[in-house]
Amino acid sequence: MDFSLLRNIISRYCAGEENWVDSRTVYIGHKEPPPGAEAYIPQRYPDNRIVSSKYTFWNFIPKNLFEQFRRIANFYFLVIFLVQLIIDTPTSPVTSGLPLFFVITVTAIKQGYEDWLRHKADCSINECPVDVVQQEKVVRTQSHKLRVGDIVMVREDETFPCDLIFLSSSRDDGTCYVTTTSLDGESSHKTYYAVPDTMAFKTEQEVDSLHATIECEQPQPDLYKFVGRINIYKDKEEPVSRTLGAENLLLRGATLKNTHHIYAVAVYTGMETKMALNYQSKSQKRSAVEKSMNAFLIVYLCILISKAVINTVLKYAWQWSPDRDEPWYNHRTENERQRHVVIRAFTDFLAFMVLFNYIIPVSMYVTVEMQKFLGSYFITWDEEMFDEELGQGAQVNTSDLNEELGQVEYVFTDKTGTLTENNMEFIECCVDGNVYIPHAICNGQILSAASSIDMIDSSPGGYRREYEDLFFRALCLCHTVQVKEEETVDGIKRGIHQGRPTSFYISSSPDEVALVEGMKRLGYTYLRLKDNYMEILNKDDEIERFELLHVLNFDSVRRRMSVIVKSISGEYLMFCKGADSSIFPRVVSGKVEQVKAHVEQNAVEGLRTLCVAYRRLSESEYQEACHYLTEAKLALQDREQRLAQAYDVIERDFVLLGATAVEDRLQEKAADTIESLHKAGIKVWVLTGDKMETAAATCYASKLFRRSTQILELTKKRTKEQSLHDVLFELNRTVLRQRSISGLSVDCLDFGLIIDGATLSAVLKPSQEVSGHGNYREIFLEICRNCSAVLCCRMAPLQKAQIVKLIKSSKEHPITLAVGDGANDVSMILEAHVGIGIMGKEGRQAARNSDYAIPKFKHLKKMLLVHGHYYYIRIAELVQYFFYKNVCFIFPQFLYQFFCGFSQQPLYDTAYLTLYNISFTSLPILLYSLVEQHVTIDTLKREPSLYRDIAKNSLLRWPVFLYWTCLGVFDAVIFFFGAYFLFDNTTFTSNGQLMTTNTQMMFGNWTFGTLIFTVLVFTVTLKLALDTRHWTWINHFVIWGSLLFYVIFSLLWGGIIWPFLNYQRMYYVFMQMLSSGPAWLSIILLITVSLLPDVIKKVLCRAICPTATERAQVSEKLLPGGVAELTPLSFRRSYKGRSTDSTLLHLGAAETLSLHSSSPLPQKLLAHLAEGGGSDLTSLSPYMLRLSGAGFAYYAPGPETPV
């Protein structure tokens, strides 16, 4: 009896080492394993179809409606609409149903169009041709037909159709080169390795004959992690098992380079590929403006309910007497008499709710959606934010946070690749305490690179020469750099220099390329990796070959990497390079103190440092290391932890060789950007994993710290000398004492804080763990609040997110922004209110996970100070204006109930109720919120302090909201009572019509309502026109076009233009109203009175206490002629010396105008000058006039005397 099947099942499900439930088995070429090898269990996997769309043809309507009615406002209007259908309400269901239908339809069309574009993109991807090996032939099929287990052939420059395990290559060494630009943005060529036992299969026939299975983990989104193993069956022998890692997995979306073709097997397809798993949506972020909108809506909902309650109570108080309860013209039915009073009251309450529900602006949501969606294109269209080098501009990944860019109070930025270029240049190295500088200058002459001058000792001994050779060999061998012999650009081959081919180094890490190129300049050239042998050319032009046995890859936790090589003489060597904090504890000999001092000196100069060490291994030590590594690599579960443990055991007992120094230059205009952010009142924090000295030097160079800044240190070194409790309280006393002094003094000391990751962990511990000393978080936050800049160094990615969360959740709840360029910045980008990714050299993971992506750090200045400023101003005006115009719209309806016996009689016609928000007043505010510029772009860039005027949601605070609401109530009262008193005296004509005695105009409730509505539409539209500062032809067209549309519609609706629309109650009402001269006068008068208070308030505020923005607006109004539009407020005379024949007039727009004696100056300016200076009008040459803001300074010869 064959127990192999039972044995395999037991080993799978009962083995303690591995959890087989979390793995999958892939049968290469869909071939069953040999009998007795293992059970053949066919598994169902998804096809290779990519679906990024949200809807299908069948579920679009129900799914979209469900999502839209999850919004409270939409659901509220749906309820109102249903109430209108169910009970007898004063207004038609159309008045609520049509606006709701319009909002739902527009949103559905927008979302449907976006989803249709996703469907098109999916189809183009799913129908791409793919070559599959079937029955020893290459068959072309479509991408979506691929299945797990298919053997795929991919040619050069083709994209991988799914996640593949690399089997064999056209290259002899079984490698291939891949670019992952579409995945993580890295354009460098990465090397991937075929399975050693399958790399010899070069043809379709050989590959199709492969009999093997792959056991690997279930799909997960980490691009850089893969755990699996391949079992290869040869005849009746035991299967050969080989480990599979990330270096064998070719990801969907990556592109094959510099390799003619490869064969690979599909392991993850369709929505299970790593690229598809990374499509997962991020948590929804909500802006401060949206939160304010919701708060205002709650207030207006309370107002609505209170109005309905007041009117319901007053109605029953009014109808308490029988003659008012049942007037002769409106007798009740028997059913109405028998209905309970509570039910009648509730029905009336609902009717009043329906009547007043227009105070909640349903169309505001769709307008805000459109404003955000269309407004986001201004960022992508901005040519100043386009980077020629990258060939890309700014990207908007979400338009929901546009206005949040104008509210940022804290900016958390990465250092490497964000503030700096991440373009490394090798500067120097220290070998055994001696410094080597390539291309060093000696006695005014530049020495050749090969001379590798020693700046300390010019007579190296044999012992030192040995260390020198080991150091240079270590840097030539301990890396993952690829060598490219020549490069073709536009058909022209690069790399041929003086008839000899030169090599190009390619790596995913710029540091490694800089180090290898630095070694080349010092005489040691890395040539190639061929047949698992690394070749280097030494100083003596001799080629040395080392067999590469193992690579212990770099990771951010260990912060080091190692290689184990075997020399031609058979000696085993392990070379290691890494951060000083990870190397020094593992060193047992070498000149540690000298190297450490040099590393600290380099760090102070802002250079990136790495330490280099080595260890000689005996045969037994090497075999032991192999055992550890093989055992860890073969594990399917917890492979990373096991590898980390193996690395920890192997990487120890090193001999220190030296250290390197690499410079990472500051990005262009990074310092200017940080300075502008400081002026805008934004606090900038730098969060980096670098050493404190290196990061501090970068902070000084970028003007985050100034020379006058007093640095406060909260580091591990200091907490060793004093307890954390004492250090925190001492720093807190320092900043508080200085703050109390600065309150009395003009000069305020500038503080900068430096904290490291270890100390931060102690600070963020829960209070119960720091026994007896209270909560350190609050003390730390208090110190940070009083510092203009903070540097956090030696930070892990998770700690970056913790810092952002700490500030975000502090009692002030400031708006935070995180900006970074690498995968280690993703956590803080997702945590911050606004996340911005830099399209840098560390990949595009940050850009993919961010809300916005920009090419360079310098573009952050315009993103915040210009785009953010405009977005916030525009949407704040949009929200307040919507509430204002709806108060103006519905409050007269409330007042009207006091004059109609609370009978729920509508004041406006149904058409006006329906079209007010969606036609008559919607387009002007939408266009205003897209193109308004209250100050010019140049002014915003030149004066960053204007950003302070809109900080802390200043335009949507409660006082501003109450002002707009009160203004709406005031205008509504003017509309209603102005029209009421105008038509107070009325008489009946002979045919029973009502006519006013003072205007001789036919008058009724619809005429009254139409007059109020006309004044209302013109007032709210002209209010927006008065607020508009940036006029274009589109503004004129929309604003005056909206008013014209209202007039034409009223004539059409009243049967004037189109007689067939002789709507009974509105027939000829509008024409009758316009036929009266006093009605015209009353309309003009009421509009003027309504707009006057707001105009007076603005004029007084500008004259008495102008804001910085208003002063900037005045300076912009200075015309080329030099005359300010407002009267100058102050003059000053001082001696500046005499000029020859002209006077310079300095304008607000940074222009300079030469005023010659013969220039025809405006007489008012000349008279003003004459009054201020008492000089002759005809002699202007000795004088200089400077204009700035609302006033100007006037200079003349003589002693300085204020005028």
Side-chain angles (χ1 to χ4, degrees):
M1 183 176 178
D2 188 8
F3 292 96
S4 60
L5 175 62
L6 180 63
R7 185 175 64 248
N8 280 312
I9 292 174
I10 292 173
S11 66
R12 279 195 170 206
Y13 293 100
C14 300
E17 179 188 339
E18 293 155 5
N19 182 7
W20 289 93
V21 177
D22 292 334
S23 64
R24 65 165 53 184
T25 302
V26 177
Y27 301 96
I28 298 178
H30 307 287
K31 293 190 180 80
E32 296 182 23
E38 61 177 83
Y40 176 61
I41 307 173
Q43 300 180 41
R44 292 179 62 86
Y45 300 114
D47 60 18
N48 200 38
R49 196 183 306 273
I50 285 289
V51 181
S52 63
S53 55
K54 192 175 182 180
Y55 307 104
T56 65
F57 179 79
W58 305 107
N59 71 7
F60 174 71
I61 292 177
K63 190 173 181 180
N64 187 264
L65 287 177
F66 173 74
E67 290 182 348
Q68 291 208 54
F69 284 119
R70 286 171 65 187
R71 299 185 81 165
I72 294 174
N74 289 347
F75 183 73
Y76 162 77
F77 279 98
L78 178 65
V79 171
I80 292 291
F81 175 64
L82 294 175
V83 168
Q84 286 178 295
L85 289 175
I86 295 167
I87 68 170
D88 183 20
T89 55
T91 57
S92 166
V94 175
T95 58
S96 291
L98 190 60
L100 181 63
F101 176 76
F102 173 75
V103 169
I104 296 295
T105 304
V106 169
T107 307
I109 290 172
K110 171 181 171 283
Q111 294 178 351
Y113 174 70
E114 290 174 347
D115 206 60
W116 176 71
L117 292 178
R118 286 192 285 267
H119 269 285
K120 282 185 64 179
D122 291 345
C123 285
S124 65
I125 292 171
N126 293 329
E127 293 174 3
C128 282
V130 176
D131 292 327
V132 180
V133 177
Q134 292 178 355
Q135 297 178 353
E136 301 183 354
K137 293 180 181 178
V138 176
V139 179
R140 177 148 287 204
T141 184
Q142 290 183 330
S143 176
H144 67 90
K145 295 180 180 178
L146 273 182
R147 297 292 182 272
V148 171
D150 283 348
I151 298 174
V152 181
M153 177 183 179
V154 183
R155 294 181 174 84
E156 186 173 5
D157 293 327
E158 287 184 352
T159 301
F160 300 128
C162 59
D163 290 352
L164 306 163
I165 290 296
F166 184 18
L167 296 177
S168 67
S169 165
S170 59
R171 300 174 69 94
D172 295 333
D173 57 0
T175 61
C176 72
Y177 297 116
V178 171
T179 57
T180 55
T181 309
S182 60
L183 292 172
D184 56 14
E186 294 183 11
S187 57
S188 56
H189 292 54
K190 297 183 177 67
T191 306
Y192 285 81
Y193 302 91
V195 179
D197 296 78
T198 63
M199 59 186 287
F201 294 75
K202 299 293 184 182
T203 65
E204 293 86 0
Q205 293 78 15
E206 290 174 345
V207 171
D208 196 47
S209 66
L210 177 63
H211 210 169
T213 60
I214 292 173
E215 294 170 306
C216 59
E217 62 186 356
Q218 292 292 359
Q220 49 97 4
D222 191 339
L223 296 177
Y224 308 104
K225 181 185 174 187
F226 177 76
V227 176
R229 68 182 173 212
I230 183 170
N231 301 312
I232 303 167
Y233 301 97
K234 297 179 180 178
D235 299 328
K236 294 184 179 180
E237 299 175 11
E238 283 291 319
V240 177
S241 292
R242 292 285 181 263
T243 62
L244 298 174
E247 69 277 3
N248 307 116
L249 183 68
L250 305 170
L251 299 178
R252 175 178 193 138
T255 306
L256 184 66
K257 293 288 183 183
N258 296 336
T259 310
H260 187 266
H261 68 269
I262 64 156
Y263 295 101
V265 60
V267 285
Y268 303 131
T269 53
M271 299 308 292
E272 289 187 343
T273 59
K274 289 182 179 288
M275 185 174 76
L277 292 174
N278 276 278
Y279 289 155
Q280 303 298 330
S281 59
K282 303 180 287 290
S283 59
Q284 188 69 27
K285 295 180 180 180
R286 293 172 60 214
S287 69
V289 170
E290 190 177 344
K291 293 173 186 174
S292 298
M293 274 172 52
N294 293 339
F296 296 162
L297 276 173
I298 292 171
V299 171
Y300 271 68
L301 188 60
C302 294
I303 293 172
L304 170 63
I305 294 170
S306 63
K307 278 184 178 181
V309 170
I310 290 169
N311 276 266
T312 305
V313 171
L314 290 176
K315 176 179 180 175
Y316 282 87
W318 167 264
Q319 294 179 352
W320 194 254
S321 61
D323 60 321
R324 288 177 178 170
D325 189 21
E326 281 192 75
W328 59 270
Y329 56 84
N330 191 18
H331 283 288
R332 287 185 184 169
T333 62
E334 193 62 31
N335 268 342
E336 289 175 335
R337 287 196 183 98
Q338 290 177 357
R339 191 183 298 172
H340 195 276
V341 66
V342 175
I343 296 175
R344 280 191 291 148
F346 181 69
T347 306
D348 285 328
F349 170 76
L350 290 178
F352 279 118
M353 286 282 289
V354 169
L355 187 64
F356 300 138
N357 82 86
Y358 301 96
I359 197 170
I360 308 289
V362 62
S363 60
M364 180 176 72
Y365 280 96
V366 73
T367 309
V368 168
E369 287 274 346
M370 292 172 68
Q371 191 270 348
K372 289 183 175 182
F373 175 70
L374 297 173
S376 62
Y377 283 101
F378 290 116
I379 290 179
T380 56
W381 290 339
D382 193 336
E383 293 182 357
E384 290 184 19
M385 297 176 72
F386 184 85
D387 187 71
E388 296 290 345
E389 183 183 344
L390 290 174
Q392 285 186 306
Q395 295 176 1
V396 179
N397 297 331
T398 174
S399 60
D400 294 336
L401 302 171
N402 292 345
E403 64 277 7
E404 204 81 331
L405 293 169
Q407 293 297 295
V408 175
E409 297 172 61
Y410 283 83
V411 168
F412 299 93
T413 174
D414 179 38
K415 184 184 80 70
T416 305
T418 304
L419 289 179
T420 59
E421 290 182 351
N422 202 12
N423 186 14
M424 312 300 174
E425 182 184 354
F426 180 80
I427 301 299
E428 64 181 37
C429 59
C430 170
V431 183
D432 199 34
N434 304 304
V435 180
Y436 293 75
I437 302 175
H439 298 298
I441 299 175
C442 184
N443 299 327
Q445 293 184 346
I446 299 177
L447 303 180
S448 65
S451 63
S452 60
I453 183 169
D454 175 15
M455 303 299 288
I456 296 185
D457 187 359
S458 58
S459 56
Y463 174 76
R464 186 181 139 202
R465 178 61 187 263
E466 180 191 356
Y467 265 63
E468 177 188 298
D469 290 341
L470 280 169
F471 178 85
F472 293 148
R473 286 193 188 104
L475 289 177
C476 285
L477 298 172
C478 188
H479 55 72
T480 56
V481 171
Q482 304 159 26
V483 181
K484 195 174 181 186
E485 293 299 334
E486 56 186 30
E487 190 173 283
T488 304
V489 179
D490 298 331
I492 302 171
K493 287 189 176 181
R494 294 174 53 202
I496 306 298
H497 180 65
Q498 294 179 350
R500 296 169 57 191
T502 58
S503 56
F504 292 88
Y505 295 121
I506 304 167
S507 175
S508 57
S509 169
D511 292 78
E512 289 197 329
V513 173
L515 291 174
V516 174
E517 287 179 344
M519 291 305 99
K520 187 176 180 180
R521 289 157 61 195
L522 287 168
Y524 283 77
T525 305
Y526 171 60
L527 297 177
R528 67 184 67 84
L529 172 64
K530 186 177 182 181
D531 299 330
N532 224 33
Y533 279 87
M534 301 181 82
E535 297 179 359
I536 61 175
L537 187 69
N538 63 20
K539 273 184 179 181
D540 304 322
D541 286 338
E542 297 171 350
I543 294 179
E544 300 178 3
R545 299 179 82 236
F546 294 85
E547 184 182 0
L548 180 61
L549 301 173
H550 292 285
V551 178
L552 282 60
N553 288 315
F554 176 87
D555 63 67
S556 56
V557 178
R558 285 166 47 242
R559 296 176 64 83
R560 62 181 179 272
M561 77 160 289
S562 302
V563 293
I564 300 176
V565 296
K566 183 180 180 182
S567 65
I568 297 298
S569 61
E571 186 179 22
Y572 293 101
L573 294 167
M574 178 165 62
F575 293 112
C576 180
K577 70 177 181 189
D580 57 332
S581 58
S582 65
I583 296 291
F584 286 142
R586 296 176 177 272
V587 167
V588 292
S589 65
K591 297 186 179 179
V592 177
E593 293 305 319
Q594 288 174 276
V595 173
K596 187 180 286 188
H598 193 73
V599 166
E600 289 175 359
Q601 181 186 340
N602 286 146
V604 169
E605 294 168 2
L607 303 177
R608 294 166 61 88
T609 57
L610 282 176
C611 293
V612 182
Y614 88 106
R615 175 186 170 193
R616 284 188 168 89
L617 300 175
S618 63
E619 180 71 32
S620 59
E621 288 174 330
Y622 171 68
Q623 293 301 332
E624 186 181 1
C626 282
H627 173 72
Y628 281 127
L629 292 172
T630 306
E631 191 178 58
K633 286 178 180 178
L634 279 172
L636 277 184
Q637 297 297 320
D638 302 323
R639 181 183 290 183
E640 289 188 353
Q641 290 86 336
R642 295 191 178 198
L643 278 173
Q645 292 169 5
Y647 292 164
D648 186 61
V649 172
I650 296 167
E651 294 175 322
R652 54 182 58 196
D653 301 331
F654 285 122
V655 177
L656 185 64
L657 290 173
T660 62
V662 174
E663 183 181 22
D664 187 6
R665 291 193 184 90
L666 206 64
Q667 275 197 20
E668 179 193 4
K669 295 185 179 178
D672 174 64
T673 302
I674 287 180
E675 194 171 19
S676 297
L677 295 180
H678 274 308
K679 289 178 181 176
I682 299 171
K683 291 190 175 182
V684 182
W685 289 32
V686 174
L687 313 181
T688 179
D690 274 359
K691 290 184 291 298
M692 185 184 84
E693 296 82 5
T694 307
T698 304
C699 289
Y700 277 111
S702 62
K703 297 185 181 177
L704 186 73
F705 294 157
R706 293 177 174 80
R707 295 301 166 190
S708 59
T709 302
Q710 181 178 338
I711 302 298
L712 308 175
E713 285 189 21
L714 188 55
T715 58
K716 188 178 179 181
K717 180 181 177 183
R718 185 165 180 188
T719 52
K720 281 182 180 178
E721 300 166 359
Q722 291 176 271
S723 69
L724 178 61
H725 175 269
D726 293 341
V727 174
L728 278 170
F729 276 87
E730 183 183 330
L731 294 179
N732 196 29
R733 281 196 301 270
T734 303
V735 295
L736 290 178
R737 183 170 60 250
Q738 183 59 36
R739 189 170 66 178
S740 62
I741 295 171
S742 63
L744 305 172
S745 170
V746 178
D747 298 324
C748 180
L749 193 60
D750 194 20
F751 285 108
L753 177 68
I754 298 178
I755 183 171
D756 59 16
T759 313
L760 181 70
S761 298
V763 169
L764 297 183
K765 277 183 183 176
S767 55
Q768 60 265 25
E769 294 185 26
V770 284
S771 57
H773 295 310
N775 194 346
Y776 290 156
R777 292 176 183 231
E778 289 304 317
I779 305 170
F780 173 67
L781 282 172
E782 186 63 32
I783 295 168
C784 292
R785 286 188 198 104
N786 291 283
C787 293
S788 59
V790 177
L791 166 62
C792 304
C793 50
R794 294 296 194 191
M795 302 288 285
L798 189 59
Q799 285 183 313
K800 293 183 178 184
Q802 287 175 337
I803 279 281
V804 176
K805 188 175 182 180
L806 180 69
I807 298 299
K808 197 170 87 168
S809 58
S810 62
K811 61 183 180 182
E812 297 92 355
H813 297 291
I815 304 299
T816 58
L817 180 146
V819 54
D821 71 318
N824 60 334
D825 303 315
V826 170
S827 55
M828 74 168 180
I829 284 173
L830 294 177
E831 183 63 47
H833 291 96
V834 184
I836 294 186
I838 303 283
M839 303 171 191
K841 298 182 180 179
E842 290 187 20
R844 296 292 164 86
Q845 277 187 293
R848 281 205 329 268
N849 287 279
S850 63
D851 304 304
Y852 303 89
I854 53 178
K856 295 287 175 62
F857 182 77
K858 66 178 180 180
H859 298 130
L860 186 65
K861 177 180 177 180
K862 190 171 186 184
M863 177 77 86
L864 297 185
L865 304 187
V866 178
H867 289 293
H869 198 119
Y870 281 154
Y871 283 138
Y872 178 74
I873 290 283
R874 291 164 180 170
I875 204 164
E877 179 88 9
L878 184 151
V879 171
Q880 299 281 27
Y881 178 79
F882 252 99
F883 285 116
Y884 157 78
K885 73 185 180 74
N886 276 43
V887 169
C888 292
F889 178 46
I890 215 65
F891 199 73
Q893 178 75 72
F894 174 72
L895 296 174
Y896 187 54
Q897 296 307 302
F898 289 86
F899 295 87
C900 67
F902 306 99
S903 61
Q904 300 151 10
Q905 168 65 35
L907 177 61
Y908 312 115
D909 179 64
T910 303
Y912 290 156
L913 282 171
T914 306
L915 297 177
Y916 175 74
N917 272 321
I918 61 177
S919 290
F920 299 146
T921 59
S922 58
L923 271 181
I925 184 59
L926 176 60
L927 191 76
Y928 174 95
S929 64
L930 288 173
V931 301
E932 171 62 6
Q933 295 181 11
H934 60 302
V935 287
T936 63
I937 293 174
D938 290 337
T939 303
L940 288 176
K941 288 195 291 189
R942 190 173 61 248
E943 299 183 28
S945 58
L946 298 180
Y947 194 85
R948 297 172 185 259
D949 275 5
I950 60 169
K952 297 186 182 297
N953 206 13
S954 61
L955 299 184
L956 288 174
R957 288 180 186 165
W958 288 107
V960 183
F961 169 71
L962 290 174
Y963 169 76
W964 279 86
T965 303
C966 292
L967 184 65
V969 171
F970 172 82
D971 289 351
V973 170
I974 294 295
F975 303 158
F976 184 83
F977 287 106
Y980 176 78
F981 288 121
L982 185 67
F983 302 106
D984 194 17
N985 299 317
T986 55
T987 58
F988 284 99
T989 62
S990 58
N991 59 359
Q993 288 184 315
L994 200 64
M995 177 177 281
T996 58
T997 55
N998 52 353
T999 63
Q1000 296 299 305
M1001 184 179 84
M1002 294 298 176
F1003 186 71
N1005 66 315
W1006 297 119
T1007 308
F1008 181 61
T1010 303
L1011 177 64
I1012 292 175
F1013 192 80
T1014 303
V1015 176
L1016 162 68
V1017 170
F1018 274 79
T1019 300
V1020 297
T1021 306
L1022 292 174
K1023 166 79 170 73
L1024 192 66
L1026 287 173
D1027 287 346
T1028 302
R1029 293 189 59 86
H1030 183 66
W1031 283 93
T1032 63
W1033 69 268
I1034 308 177
N1035 292 79
H1036 286 289
F1037 176 77
V1038 169
I1039 287 178
W1040 313 125
S1042 293
L1043 296 176
L1044 184 63
F1045 172 73
Y1046 165 68
V1047 173
I1048 293 172
F1049 175 83
S1050 298
L1051 294 173
L1052 182 74
W1053 191 241
I1056 311 300
I1057 297 176
W1058 191 252
F1060 302 105
L1061 275 175
N1062 53 352
Y1063 186 50
Q1064 187 177 358
R1065 68 187 185 191
M1066 290 299 292
Y1067 185 65
Y1068 253 72
V1069 168
F1070 193 71
M1071 196 64 188
Q1072 283 282 354
M1073 184 188 75
L1074 294 183
S1075 64
S1076 170
W1080 282 88
L1081 181 63
S1082 63
I1083 290 172
I1084 296 170
L1085 182 64
L1086 291 177
I1087 292 171
T1088 306
V1089 173
S1090 300
L1091 294 174
L1092 198 59
D1094 189 48
V1095 173
I1096 293 172
K1097 176 250 179 189
K1098 287 181 177 176
V1099 169
L1100 290 176
C1101 287
R1102 282 171 177 266
I1104 297 169
C1105 51
T1107 62
T1109 302
E1110 289 166 348
R1111 287 194 292 270
Q1113 289 171 347
V1114 172
S1115 67
E1116 285 178 358
K1117 287 184 178 181
L1118 293 175
L1119 305 176
V1123 183
E1125 292 188 8
L1126 296 181
T1127 307
L1129 299 178
S1130 60
F1131 300 88
R1132 185 163 62 87
R1133 271 175 59 172
S1134 65
Y1135 179 70
K1136 289 287 179 182
R1138 298 181 63 88
S1139 65
T1140 55
D1141 62 345
S1142 64
T1143 299
L1144 294 178
L1145 179 64
H1146 292 263
L1147 303 176
E1151 299 175 48
T1152 303
L1153 180 67
S1154 180
L1155 301 179
H1156 292 267
S1157 300
S1158 57
S1159 298
L1161 288 174
Q1163 294 301 313
K1164 285 186 179 180
L1165 179 60
L1166 295 176
H1168 228 341
L1169 286 172
E1171 287 177 11
S1175 58
D1176 183 26
L1177 292 178
T1178 58
S1179 177
L1180 286 176
S1181 58
Y1183 304 102
M1184 179 179 287
L1185 180 68
R1186 295 183 187 272
L1187 287 85
S1188 175
F1192 53 78
Y1194 162 54
Y1195 301 98
E1200 184 168 335
T1201 309
V1203 179

